[in-house]
Amino acid sequence: MEILGVMLAVLGAALAAGLAGSGSAIGVGIAGEAGAGIMTEDPGKFGLVLLLQALPGTQGIYGLLTAFFAILKVGLLGGEAIEVSVWQGLGVFFACLPIAIAGYYSGIAQGKTSAACIQLIAKRPEETGKAVILPAMVETYAVLALLMSIILLNSIKL
Amino acid sequence: MIPKNGYTYAVSRLKAMANRLLDNNSIIRLWESETFSSAMKLLSETHYAQWLSEMKNENDFESLISSELNYVVSETRSISPDKRIPILFQLPFDFHNIKVLVKDKITRTGNQGRRIDLLTSLGNVSVEDLILAVESEDYRLLPFGLHAVLPESLSIWEQSHDVLMVEKRLDAALFELMKSIAESIEIEGVKKWVRAKIDAENIRNVLRLVRFGLEIGKISSFLHEGGFISKEKLLLLVNEPLEGWGRLVGFADAAMALSEITDFSDTEKSLTELEKSLDDYVTGVLGPYRYDAFAPENILAFLWAKDIEAKNLRIILVGKANDVDKDVIRGLLRNVL
């Protein structure tokens, strides 16, 4: 039973890192394709394109952070071994879900917004400030999900 | 079928290439220029400058415009994930070339000069291949069903000696082909564009043929199926004065084009106004897709916008070269986007 508890926590950590990372990979890929299209015509826009392409990458970092917290919580990253019941393991698993789910979808959505904004700066480079704000709005919901995952992880008493 | 997100690179590249479109300010400056040479000077300050070396003489703006169009079409073709979209755009140019060659063949038998200077290299089939096929009467290698349509058009001429009949057959083949390609692409905006093109052609045909005094049965044979307005509805226009056309087809977006005609009493002027507003109508069909960062329709919209820009430039430069009144020129200018 103790192993099952730890495994549930590990599954949660794996989903947080895996799904949020996948969302980021897809998002960064979409923005990258758009960026390549723009830079073929105007290589001078590399700096702006890189900034916008990097934005959807944060969800992957949030997922990784949550995964670290989760495995730290159940004592898999050094320290003393902690006894984890199935219910506690399930709690850690559920605590990881907000960033796993929101990270995946917000990563893709942010990638699409970044791609659209990369197209915006191709036509109107003077609007770069606004072009960064629009995909940053999507980031809000990934940050909220990260916050909730951390609060939930902290609320589980082991 | 290519997924919608497969167009991200191509659409982004075209958005960057959209900077090659002349903006309204540039068009207005060209239009306001007093002489042809000052208009050409202004044009040489835009990205058209890179084609100045293509000009055969200082008045040869056609080489400038053709070079830009050729470049844009070939670039778009190379980056388009679905090649059928640029092919669809280029098809009318292929059929234009065939019309030129057929007419050339017809007139040459009467010992008149050749007209191949009117051929355009914007088609899918190279001009050289087309000329070779016509010269050798070996049409087997021509694509898009041209191997059948071309000899058929020539045989129609042999039988009827009526250029209108030849044009009718070629137009019917063009729109059938465009419809079938658009259906196979399965992109909403592309299908709408083809339907709008058919509507525009049908309305143009009705107006022209009514002016020729053709009877309703004959006019019907010149209309194409597949537009937003059915043939039956279009034939109702034949016996209606031009003023009432907008009311009869009010259910269709093309009615907007008819509502823009200001002077119904002057047939020549109304035809010119109709030509312009029908082009604007076709442009408008692709308008909403401009705001979708991943829409494949953007490929067609860009090509069409470039074609309209070329039309506008020709109108301005020909107008300036012939001292046409500025207001007349302005009345002919199309919306680019």
mmCIF file of all heavy atoms in Angstrom, chain A residues 30-31 33-38 40-42 45 111-113 115-116 118-119 122-124, chain B residues 5-9 11-21 71 75 292-294 337:
data_model
loop_
_atom_site.group_PDB
_atom_site.id
_atom_site.type_symbol
_atom_site.label_atom_id
_atom_site.label_comp_id
_atom_site.label_asym_id
_atom_site.label_seq_id
_atom_site.Cartn_x
_atom_site.Cartn_y
_atom_site.Cartn_z
ATOM 1 N N ILE A 30 4.704 25.924 -32.654
ATOM 2 C CA ILE A 30 3.808 26.753 -33.493
ATOM 3 C C ILE A 30 4.420 28.146 -33.680
ATOM 4 O O ILE A 30 4.509 28.667 -34.802
ATOM 5 C CB ILE A 30 2.406 26.859 -32.843
ATOM 6 C CG1 ILE A 30 1.713 25.486 -32.848
ATOM 7 C CG2 ILE A 30 1.542 27.882 -33.580
ATOM 8 C CD1 ILE A 30 0.434 25.439 -32.018
ATOM 9 N N ALA A 31 4.846 28.729 -32.541
ATOM 10 C CA ALA A 31 5.426 30.080 -32.612
ATOM 11 C C ALA A 31 6.711 30.064 -33.447
ATOM 12 O O ALA A 31 6.991 31.008 -34.192
ATOM 13 C CB ALA A 31 5.706 30.596 -31.209
ATOM 14 N N GLU A 33 7.441 28.072 -35.975
ATOM 15 C CA GLU A 33 7.108 28.007 -37.410
ATOM 16 C C GLU A 33 6.768 29.390 -37.946
ATOM 17 O O GLU A 33 7.230 29.792 -39.015
ATOM 18 C CB GLU A 33 5.891 27.101 -37.619
ATOM 19 C CG GLU A 33 6.240 25.652 -37.853
ATOM 20 C CD GLU A 33 5.016 24.852 -38.236
ATOM 21 O OE1 GLU A 33 4.445 25.104 -39.305
ATOM 22 O OE2 GLU A 33 4.625 23.988 -37.437
ATOM 23 N N ALA A 34 5.942 30.102 -37.148
ATOM 24 C CA ALA A 34 5.570 31.465 -37.564
ATOM 25 C C ALA A 34 6.812 32.352 -37.628
ATOM 26 O O ALA A 34 6.997 33.127 -38.574
ATOM 27 C CB ALA A 34 4.543 32.043 -36.602
ATOM 28 N N GLY A 35 7.674 32.203 -36.618
ATOM 29 C CA GLY A 35 8.890 33.012 -36.572
ATOM 30 C C GLY A 35 9.789 32.755 -37.766
ATOM 31 O O GLY A 35 10.347 33.695 -38.353
ATOM 32 N N ALA A 36 9.906 31.480 -38.138
ATOM 33 C CA ALA A 36 10.749 31.146 -39.297
ATOM 34 C C ALA A 36 10.201 31.798 -40.565
ATOM 35 O O ALA A 36 10.965 32.288 -41.410
ATOM 36 C CB ALA A 36 10.813 29.633 -39.468
ATOM 37 N N GLY A 37 8.869 31.791 -40.677
ATOM 38 C CA GLY A 37 8.226 32.426 -41.843
ATOM 39 C C GLY A 37 8.558 33.898 -41.928
ATOM 40 O O GLY A 37 8.890 34.434 -42.994
ATOM 41 N N ILE A 38 8.494 34.576 -40.770
ATOM 42 C CA ILE A 38 8.765 36.021 -40.752
ATOM 43 C C ILE A 38 10.244 36.289 -41.038
ATOM 44 O O ILE A 38 10.601 37.173 -41.815
ATOM 45 C CB ILE A 38 8.383 36.617 -39.370
ATOM 46 C CG1 ILE A 38 6.900 36.404 -39.072
ATOM 47 C CG2 ILE A 38 8.760 38.100 -39.283
ATOM 48 C CD1 ILE A 38 5.942 37.033 -40.020
ATOM 49 N N THR A 40 12.365 34.599 -42.667
ATOM 50 C CA THR A 40 12.786 34.350 -44.049
ATOM 51 C C THR A 40 12.747 35.658 -44.836
ATOM 52 O O THR A 40 13.598 35.926 -45.679
ATOM 53 C CB THR A 40 11.854 33.318 -44.730
ATOM 54 O OG1 THR A 40 11.747 32.200 -43.876
ATOM 55 C CG2 THR A 40 12.364 32.892 -46.080
ATOM 56 N N GLU A 41 11.751 36.478 -44.534
ATOM 57 C CA GLU A 41 11.624 37.766 -45.225
ATOM 58 C C GLU A 41 12.419 38.863 -44.529
ATOM 59 O O GLU A 41 12.893 39.773 -45.180
ATOM 60 C CB GLU A 41 10.140 38.174 -45.288
ATOM 61 C CG GLU A 41 9.277 37.297 -46.188
ATOM 62 C CD GLU A 41 9.730 37.309 -47.637
ATOM 63 O OE1 GLU A 41 9.955 38.392 -48.175
ATOM 64 O OE2 GLU A 41 9.871 36.205 -48.210
ATOM 65 N N ASP A 42 12.500 38.785 -43.192
ATOM 66 C CA ASP A 42 13.138 39.857 -42.440
ATOM 67 C C ASP A 42 13.953 39.284 -41.280
ATOM 68 O O ASP A 42 13.482 39.227 -40.131
ATOM 69 C CB ASP A 42 12.049 40.819 -41.924
ATOM 70 C CG ASP A 42 12.644 42.052 -41.273
ATOM 71 O OD1 ASP A 42 13.878 42.148 -41.206
ATOM 72 O OD2 ASP A 42 11.856 42.921 -40.833
ATOM 73 N N LYS A 45 14.340 40.569 -37.480
ATOM 74 C CA LYS A 45 13.324 40.484 -36.419
ATOM 75 C C LYS A 45 13.624 39.333 -35.449
ATOM 76 O O LYS A 45 12.766 38.969 -34.643
ATOM 77 C CB LYS A 45 11.944 40.280 -37.049
ATOM 78 C CG LYS A 45 11.482 41.474 -37.864
ATOM 79 C CD LYS A 45 10.048 41.825 -37.581
ATOM 80 C CE LYS A 45 9.713 43.234 -38.020
ATOM 81 N NZ LYS A 45 9.946 43.522 -39.413
ATOM 82 N N GLY A 111 1.034 29.439 -27.658
ATOM 83 C CA GLY A 111 1.806 29.290 -28.893
ATOM 84 C C GLY A 111 1.073 29.892 -30.079
ATOM 85 O O GLY A 111 1.661 30.590 -30.918
ATOM 86 N N LYS A 112 -0.228 29.619 -30.127
ATOM 87 C CA LYS A 112 -1.028 30.183 -31.242
ATOM 88 C C LYS A 112 -1.070 31.703 -31.155
ATOM 89 O O LYS A 112 -0.945 32.399 -32.169
ATOM 90 C CB LYS A 112 -2.449 29.614 -31.194
ATOM 91 C CG LYS A 112 -2.528 28.157 -31.609
ATOM 92 C CD LYS A 112 -3.951 27.675 -31.530
ATOM 93 C CE LYS A 112 -4.061 26.223 -31.984
ATOM 94 N NZ LYS A 112 -5.395 25.673 -31.738
ATOM 95 N N THR A 113 -1.266 32.220 -29.933
ATOM 96 C CA THR A 113 -1.314 33.689 -29.771
ATOM 97 C C THR A 113 0.040 34.305 -30.123
ATOM 98 O O THR A 113 0.098 35.348 -30.787
ATOM 99 C CB THR A 113 -1.682 34.055 -28.311
ATOM 100 O OG1 THR A 113 -2.725 33.203 -27.877
ATOM 101 C CG2 THR A 113 -2.127 35.487 -28.192
ATOM 102 N N ALA A 115 2.212 33.097 -32.207
ATOM 103 C CA ALA A 115 2.363 33.037 -33.668
ATOM 104 C C ALA A 115 1.618 34.189 -34.329
ATOM 105 O O ALA A 115 2.138 34.849 -35.241
ATOM 106 C CB ALA A 115 1.851 31.704 -34.184
ATOM 107 N N ALA A 116 0.394 34.445 -33.843
ATOM 108 C CA ALA A 116 -0.394 35.550 -34.411
ATOM 109 C C ALA A 116 0.309 36.886 -34.153
ATOM 110 O O ALA A 116 0.327 37.768 -35.016
ATOM 111 C CB ALA A 116 -1.790 35.544 -33.811
ATOM 112 N N ILE A 118 3.527 37.298 -33.683
ATOM 113 C CA ILE A 118 4.737 37.364 -34.521
ATOM 114 C C ILE A 118 4.341 37.921 -35.895
ATOM 115 O O ILE A 118 5.056 38.737 -36.484
ATOM 116 C CB ILE A 118 5.388 35.963 -34.630
ATOM 117 C CG1 ILE A 118 6.097 35.630 -33.314
ATOM 118 C CG2 ILE A 118 6.383 35.904 -35.785
ATOM 119 C CD1 ILE A 118 6.586 34.196 -33.212
ATOM 120 N N GLN A 119 3.180 37.494 -36.381
ATOM 121 C CA GLN A 119 2.692 38.040 -37.662
ATOM 122 C C GLN A 119 2.392 39.530 -37.529
ATOM 123 O O GLN A 119 2.593 40.299 -38.463
ATOM 124 C CB GLN A 119 1.431 37.290 -38.102
ATOM 125 C CG GLN A 119 1.704 35.841 -38.450
ATOM 126 C CD GLN A 119 0.446 35.077 -38.819
ATOM 127 O OE1 GLN A 119 -0.646 35.631 -38.880
ATOM 128 N NE2 GLN A 119 0.600 33.797 -39.074
ATOM 129 N N ALA A 122 5.460 41.553 -37.808
ATOM 130 C CA ALA A 122 5.980 41.566 -39.180
ATOM 131 C C ALA A 122 5.415 42.746 -39.935
ATOM 132 O O ALA A 122 6.086 43.387 -40.736
ATOM 133 C CB ALA A 122 5.605 40.272 -39.887
ATOM 134 N N LYS A 123 4.146 43.029 -39.661
ATOM 135 C CA LYS A 123 3.473 44.118 -40.380
ATOM 136 C C LYS A 123 3.673 45.445 -39.657
ATOM 137 O O LYS A 123 3.867 46.466 -40.283
ATOM 138 C CB LYS A 123 1.983 43.785 -40.504
ATOM 139 C CG LYS A 123 1.221 44.725 -41.381
ATOM 140 C CD LYS A 123 0.173 44.021 -42.189
ATOM 141 C CE LYS A 123 -0.616 45.020 -42.990
ATOM 142 N NZ LYS A 123 -0.471 44.896 -44.382
ATOM 143 N N ARG A 124 3.600 45.388 -38.310
ATOM 144 C CA ARG A 124 3.699 46.622 -37.520
ATOM 145 C C ARG A 124 4.730 46.457 -36.402
ATOM 146 O O ARG A 124 4.364 46.209 -35.249
ATOM 147 C CB ARG A 124 2.338 46.958 -36.906
ATOM 148 C CG ARG A 124 1.258 47.197 -37.928
ATOM 149 C CD ARG A 124 -0.035 47.602 -37.249
ATOM 150 N NE ARG A 124 -1.142 47.580 -38.173
ATOM 151 C CZ ARG A 124 -1.386 48.517 -39.077
ATOM 152 N NH1 ARG A 124 -0.602 49.548 -39.155
ATOM 153 N NH2 ARG A 124 -2.418 48.409 -39.892
ATOM 154 N N ASN B 5 -3.240 23.612 -39.039
ATOM 155 C CA ASN B 5 -1.997 24.144 -38.451
ATOM 156 C C ASN B 5 -0.767 23.867 -39.323
ATOM 157 O O ASN B 5 0.345 24.224 -38.967
ATOM 158 C CB ASN B 5 -1.792 23.623 -37.028
ATOM 159 C CG ASN B 5 -1.715 22.110 -36.961
ATOM 160 O OD1 ASN B 5 -1.559 21.451 -37.999
ATOM 161 N ND2 ASN B 5 -1.849 21.542 -35.777
ATOM 162 N N GLY B 6 -0.993 23.230 -40.478
ATOM 163 C CA GLY B 6 0.114 22.995 -41.398
ATOM 164 C C GLY B 6 0.465 24.225 -42.225
ATOM 165 O O GLY B 6 1.423 24.208 -43.004
ATOM 166 N N TYR B 7 -0.319 25.274 -42.065
ATOM 167 C CA TYR B 7 -0.107 26.480 -42.879
ATOM 168 C C TYR B 7 0.592 27.607 -42.106
ATOM 169 O O TYR B 7 0.717 28.709 -42.618
ATOM 170 C CB TYR B 7 -1.458 26.998 -43.404
ATOM 171 C CG TYR B 7 -2.066 26.105 -44.453
ATOM 172 C CD1 TYR B 7 -2.867 25.036 -44.097
ATOM 173 C CD2 TYR B 7 -1.830 26.318 -45.806
ATOM 174 C CE1 TYR B 7 -3.424 24.194 -45.053
ATOM 175 C CE2 TYR B 7 -2.385 25.495 -46.768
ATOM 176 C CZ TYR B 7 -3.180 24.433 -46.383
ATOM 177 O OH TYR B 7 -3.726 23.611 -47.327
ATOM 178 N N THR B 8 1.025 27.318 -40.851
ATOM 179 C CA THR B 8 1.566 28.397 -40.005
ATOM 180 C C THR B 8 2.762 29.093 -40.664
ATOM 181 O O THR B 8 2.809 30.322 -40.726
ATOM 182 C CB THR B 8 1.999 27.842 -38.629
ATOM 183 O OG1 THR B 8 0.924 27.058 -38.110
ATOM 184 C CG2 THR B 8 2.325 28.952 -37.663
ATOM 185 N N TYR B 9 3.709 28.292 -41.153
ATOM 186 C CA TYR B 9 4.896 28.895 -41.772
ATOM 187 C C TYR B 9 4.507 29.725 -42.998
ATOM 188 O O TYR B 9 4.908 30.889 -43.136
ATOM 189 C CB TYR B 9 5.902 27.803 -42.169
ATOM 190 C CG TYR B 9 7.063 28.345 -42.973
ATOM 191 C CD1 TYR B 9 8.151 28.938 -42.340
ATOM 192 C CD2 TYR B 9 7.063 28.286 -44.367
ATOM 193 C CE1 TYR B 9 9.196 29.464 -43.076
ATOM 194 C CE2 TYR B 9 8.109 28.807 -45.107
ATOM 195 C CZ TYR B 9 9.174 29.395 -44.462
ATOM 196 O OH TYR B 9 10.202 29.918 -45.189
ATOM 197 N N VAL B 11 1.618 31.007 -43.966
ATOM 198 C CA VAL B 11 0.812 32.209 -43.713
ATOM 199 C C VAL B 11 1.681 33.305 -43.084
ATOM 200 O O VAL B 11 1.587 34.476 -43.463
ATOM 201 C CB VAL B 11 -0.417 31.878 -42.824
ATOM 202 C CG1 VAL B 11 -1.155 33.143 -42.419
ATOM 203 C CG2 VAL B 11 -1.366 30.937 -43.557
ATOM 204 N N SER B 12 2.562 32.904 -42.147
ATOM 205 C CA SER B 12 3.432 33.912 -41.508
ATOM 206 C C SER B 12 4.359 34.553 -42.539
ATOM 207 O O SER B 12 4.561 35.766 -42.545
ATOM 208 C CB SER B 12 4.275 33.265 -40.414
ATOM 209 O OG SER B 12 3.434 32.698 -39.459
ATOM 210 N N ARG B 13 4.899 33.708 -43.410
ATOM 211 C CA ARG B 13 5.799 34.251 -44.441
ATOM 212 C C ARG B 13 5.037 35.222 -45.338
ATOM 213 O O ARG B 13 5.555 36.281 -45.704
ATOM 214 C CB ARG B 13 6.360 33.068 -45.247
ATOM 215 C CG ARG B 13 7.174 33.438 -46.437
ATOM 216 C CD ARG B 13 8.640 33.147 -46.274
ATOM 217 N NE ARG B 13 9.368 33.600 -47.428
ATOM 218 C CZ ARG B 13 9.882 32.801 -48.340
ATOM 219 N NH1 ARG B 13 9.771 31.489 -48.197
ATOM 220 N NH2 ARG B 13 10.540 33.292 -49.372
ATOM 221 N N LEU B 14 3.809 34.853 -45.673
ATOM 222 C CA LEU B 14 3.031 35.741 -46.544
ATOM 223 C C LEU B 14 2.644 37.027 -45.835
ATOM 224 O O LEU B 14 2.542 38.082 -46.460
ATOM 225 C CB LEU B 14 1.782 35.020 -47.062
ATOM 226 C CG LEU B 14 2.057 33.897 -48.051
ATOM 227 C CD1 LEU B 14 0.773 33.206 -48.467
ATOM 228 C CD2 LEU B 14 2.783 34.414 -49.287
ATOM 229 N N LYS B 15 2.424 36.940 -44.510
ATOM 230 C CA LYS B 15 2.127 38.169 -43.755
ATOM 231 C C LYS B 15 3.334 39.110 -43.833
ATOM 232 O O LYS B 15 3.178 40.323 -43.908
ATOM 233 C CB LYS B 15 1.819 37.848 -42.293
ATOM 234 C CG LYS B 15 0.556 37.037 -42.097
ATOM 235 C CD LYS B 15 -0.667 37.894 -41.945
ATOM 236 C CE LYS B 15 -1.886 37.008 -41.751
ATOM 237 N NZ LYS B 15 -3.128 37.709 -41.710
ATOM 238 N N ALA B 16 4.532 38.527 -43.778
ATOM 239 C CA ALA B 16 5.731 39.359 -43.914
ATOM 240 C C ALA B 16 5.847 39.874 -45.344
ATOM 241 O O ALA B 16 6.230 41.024 -45.580
ATOM 242 C CB ALA B 16 6.966 38.564 -43.529
ATOM 243 N N MET B 17 5.489 39.017 -46.299
ATOM 244 C CA MET B 17 5.557 39.435 -47.710
ATOM 245 C C MET B 17 4.477 40.471 -48.040
ATOM 246 O O MET B 17 4.568 41.154 -49.054
ATOM 247 C CB MET B 17 5.403 38.224 -48.641
ATOM 248 C CG MET B 17 6.681 37.407 -48.780
ATOM 249 S SD MET B 17 6.411 35.908 -49.728
ATOM 250 C CE MET B 17 6.321 36.564 -51.390
ATOM 251 N N ALA B 18 3.457 40.561 -47.174
ATOM 252 C CA ALA B 18 2.386 41.544 -47.424
ATOM 253 C C ALA B 18 2.947 42.963 -47.403
ATOM 254 O O ALA B 18 2.308 43.900 -47.894
ATOM 255 C CB ALA B 18 1.281 41.386 -46.395
ATOM 256 N N ASN B 19 4.144 43.124 -46.834
ATOM 257 C CA ASN B 19 4.788 44.442 -46.891
ATOM 258 C C ASN B 19 5.139 44.822 -48.323
ATOM 259 O O ASN B 19 5.461 45.972 -48.613
ATOM 260 C CB ASN B 19 6.050 44.453 -46.019
ATOM 261 C CG ASN B 19 5.703 44.368 -44.553
ATOM 262 O OD1 ASN B 19 4.666 44.856 -44.128
ATOM 263 N ND2 ASN B 19 6.556 43.720 -43.773
ATOM 264 N N ARG B 20 5.096 43.812 -49.216
ATOM 265 C CA ARG B 20 5.348 44.106 -50.645
ATOM 266 C C ARG B 20 4.118 44.699 -51.310
ATOM 267 O O ARG B 20 4.191 45.137 -52.456
ATOM 268 C CB ARG B 20 5.722 42.820 -51.391
ATOM 269 C CG ARG B 20 7.001 42.167 -50.926
ATOM 270 C CD ARG B 20 7.310 40.967 -51.777
ATOM 271 N NE ARG B 20 7.809 41.345 -53.076
ATOM 272 C CZ ARG B 20 9.088 41.484 -53.384
ATOM 273 N NH1 ARG B 20 9.991 41.266 -52.465
ATOM 274 N NH2 ARG B 20 9.467 41.826 -54.598
ATOM 275 N N LEU B 21 2.972 44.644 -50.600
ATOM 276 C CA LEU B 21 1.770 45.263 -51.185
ATOM 277 C C LEU B 21 1.864 46.777 -51.003
ATOM 278 O O LEU B 21 2.230 47.248 -49.922
ATOM 279 C CB LEU B 21 0.517 44.752 -50.472
ATOM 280 C CG LEU B 21 0.045 43.343 -50.818
ATOM 281 C CD1 LEU B 21 -0.999 42.882 -49.812
ATOM 282 C CD2 LEU B 21 -0.530 43.291 -52.220
ATOM 283 N N TYR B 71 7.365 36.794 -59.464
ATOM 284 C CA TYR B 71 8.144 36.485 -58.264
ATOM 285 C C TYR B 71 7.219 36.041 -57.123
ATOM 286 O O TYR B 71 7.444 35.008 -56.481
ATOM 287 C CB TYR B 71 8.960 37.714 -57.845
ATOM 288 C CG TYR B 71 9.573 37.585 -56.475
ATOM 289 C CD1 TYR B 71 10.689 36.777 -56.270
ATOM 290 C CD2 TYR B 71 9.004 38.232 -55.371
ATOM 291 C CE1 TYR B 71 11.230 36.631 -54.994
ATOM 292 C CE2 TYR B 71 9.539 38.087 -54.103
ATOM 293 C CZ TYR B 71 10.648 37.289 -53.923
ATOM 294 O OH TYR B 71 11.176 37.140 -52.658
ATOM 295 N N GLU B 75 7.121 32.333 -55.429
ATOM 296 C CA GLU B 75 7.443 32.181 -54.006
ATOM 297 C C GLU B 75 6.271 31.534 -53.262
ATOM 298 O O GLU B 75 6.459 30.628 -52.457
ATOM 299 C CB GLU B 75 7.739 33.555 -53.372
ATOM 300 C CG GLU B 75 9.091 34.104 -53.694
ATOM 301 C CD GLU B 75 10.226 33.294 -53.099
ATOM 302 O OE1 GLU B 75 10.319 33.181 -51.874
ATOM 303 O OE2 GLU B 75 11.022 32.756 -53.883
ATOM 304 N N ASP B 292 -7.488 35.553 -39.357
ATOM 305 C CA ASP B 292 -7.174 34.229 -38.820
ATOM 306 C C ASP B 292 -5.701 33.940 -39.143
ATOM 307 O O ASP B 292 -5.331 33.824 -40.310
ATOM 308 C CB ASP B 292 -8.099 33.183 -39.472
ATOM 309 C CG ASP B 292 -7.903 31.801 -38.860
ATOM 310 O OD1 ASP B 292 -6.827 31.568 -38.275
ATOM 311 O OD2 ASP B 292 -8.819 30.970 -38.974
ATOM 312 N N ALA B 293 -4.892 33.846 -38.068
ATOM 313 C CA ALA B 293 -3.438 33.734 -38.267
ATOM 314 C C ALA B 293 -3.022 32.417 -38.911
ATOM 315 O O ALA B 293 -1.874 32.275 -39.324
ATOM 316 C CB ALA B 293 -2.730 33.891 -36.926
ATOM 317 N N PHE B 294 -3.931 31.450 -38.969
ATOM 318 C CA PHE B 294 -3.539 30.140 -39.499
ATOM 319 C C PHE B 294 -4.373 29.727 -40.708
ATOM 320 O O PHE B 294 -4.251 28.602 -41.193
ATOM 321 C CB PHE B 294 -3.684 29.081 -38.398
ATOM 322 C CG PHE B 294 -2.941 29.454 -37.147
ATOM 323 C CD1 PHE B 294 -3.595 30.047 -36.071
ATOM 324 C CD2 PHE B 294 -1.579 29.245 -37.050
ATOM 325 C CE1 PHE B 294 -2.903 30.411 -34.932
ATOM 326 C CE2 PHE B 294 -0.882 29.608 -35.911
ATOM 327 C CZ PHE B 294 -1.536 30.188 -34.853
ATOM 328 N N LEU B 337 -7.381 45.171 -50.189
ATOM 329 C CA LEU B 337 -7.670 44.269 -49.067
ATOM 330 C C LEU B 337 -9.007 44.625 -48.435
ATOM 331 O O LEU B 337 -9.380 45.760 -48.412
ATOM 332 C CB LEU B 337 -6.569 44.351 -48.020
ATOM 333 C CG LEU B 337 -5.230 43.725 -48.393
ATOM 334 C CD1 LEU B 337 -4.190 44.057 -47.351
ATOM 335 C CD2 LEU B 337 -5.332 42.212 -48.519
#
